[in-house]
Amino acid sequence: MNGQNRKDLAPGTAVEIVLKADQRTGKLTSGVVKDILTKSSFHPHGIKVRLTDGQVGRVQHIK
């Protein structure tokens, strides 16, 4: 799954996100969702989440 639909995510889901600083390179960061920050049900660039370690980014892949 590509992380564009909010319904596919829940706290505790393992994901790969792209951080704001890494958007140019596309470098992915792995982690576990703590909070879902995007309120809409769909976002073309990926749903924005906060990981358990505090990093914030947009979901690119759901593991």
Side-chain angles (χ1 to χ4, degrees), residues 44-55:
H45 301 297
I47 299 296
K48 189 178 281 188
V49 298
R50 179 179 295 118
L51 301 181
T52 52
D53 62 4
Q55 297 184 92

Side-chain angles (χ1 to χ4, degrees), residues 10-59:
T13 306
V15 295
E16 289 184 321
I17 66 169
V18 62
L19 302 173
K20 183 74 170 175
D22 296 331
Q23 282 180 344
R24 286 184 179 270
T25 63
K27 178 179 170 247
L28 298 177
T29 304
S30 295
V32 177
V33 175
K34 179 180 179 187
D35 301 310
I36 300 173
L37 305 177
T38 300
K39 297 298 182 203
S40 65
S41 62
F42 175 84
H43 194 285
H45 301 297
I47 299 296
K48 189 178 281 188
V49 298
R50 179 179 295 118
L51 301 181
T52 52
D53 62 4
Q55 297 184 92
V56 175
R58 294 196 180 274
V59 177

